[in-house]
Amino acid sequence: MYETSQYLTFTLGEEVFALDIGTVREVLELTAITRIPRTPEFMRGVINLRGRAVPVLELRRKFGMEPAADTVSTCIIIVEAELEGEGAVIGALVDSVREVIEIPAEAIEPAPRMGTAVRQDFIRGMGHRNDGFVIILDGNRIFSVEELAATGAAVGAGALPGEDAVPVAATAGGDGAPL
């Protein structure tokens, strides 16, 4: 018996990518992002998510793609990744969010060793979808501990001054509705 998994699909340029829905906490419209000095170019900065400072990575730059201007479709996907055995809440800036899809395990194959701007170890597999493919990413590998350490050191424990940290609820669009 094959297992079917759900994935949130999003775009970077013309490419369609996906993250396992189990790692996605919510999707936000683009909001104010505070830049942090001396962080890698792909670290856009941090956002205030209900009193908690959450680092935001610009996936286009992380994957070595040309930067693009933000649009009304630009979104931040809030992801919970596991870094060295601990949970970390991270924002991923993407061109647009598309939909949640189901892909059966038998429709996922290993990524080819060529032709993508994304590092091979970031790709969990290629999902067959209609007449094309969806690049399924491994959220635990995209966000490295070393890269986030620079942001974490600048942000501190995560709560903004004068505010209590609040756990991230599993919602879509930041409106409180469950995924």
Side-chain angles (χ1 to χ4, degrees):
M1 185 85 171
Y2 290 110
E3 186 177 318
T4 298
S5 294
Q6 291 187 322
Y7 298 92
L8 176 69
T9 59
F10 60 92
T11 61
L12 295 175
E14 299 298 314
E15 300 290 331
V16 179
F17 295 87
L19 283 168
D20 186 309
I21 197 73
T23 65
V24 175
R25 294 296 160 242
E26 61 186 293
V27 175
L28 305 174
E29 291 180 359
L30 187 60
T31 186
I33 301 174
T34 304
R35 183 91 174 115
I36 297 177
R38 297 189 313 255
T39 57
E41 193 64 31
F42 60 82
M43 286 298 264
R44 180 66 82 93
V46 294
I47 60 170
N48 179 354
L49 185 63
R50 291 179 290 285
R52 182 177 186 176
V54 174
V56 176
L57 281 70
E58 189 174 342
L59 287 189
R60 278 179 158 275
R61 288 182 188 247
K62 174 76 175 177
F63 296 160
M65 301 169 80
E66 285 295 316
D70 294 336
T71 70
V72 296
S73 297
T74 303
C75 293
I76 300 171
I77 302 172
I78 302 298
V79 177
E80 189 168 294
E82 186 156 319
L83 304 174
E84 293 187 345
E86 291 189 29
V89 177
I90 303 155
L93 188 73
V94 301
D95 293 353
S96 68
V97 170
R98 295 182 87 185
E99 62 185 331
V100 174
I101 61 171
E102 291 187 354
I103 303 176
E106 69 270 16
I108 299 173
E109 61 183 64
R113 298 233 174 250
M114 56 169 209
T116 66
V118 182
R119 279 185 20 198
Q120 188 72 28
D121 59 327
F122 292 167
I123 301 174
R124 192 156 138 200
M126 302 292 288
H128 292 273
R129 177 85 169 133
N130 301 325
D131 290 337
F133 286 97
V134 174
I135 302 168
I136 301 171
L137 300 173
D138 185 336
N140 292 329
R141 292 191 177 183
I142 295 171
F143 313 108
S144 78
V145 175
E146 296 79 22
E147 292 164 348
L148 294 177
T151 304
V155 173
L160 296 176
E163 299 186 38
D164 295 323
V166 177
V168 177
T171 63
D175 60 1
L179 280 174

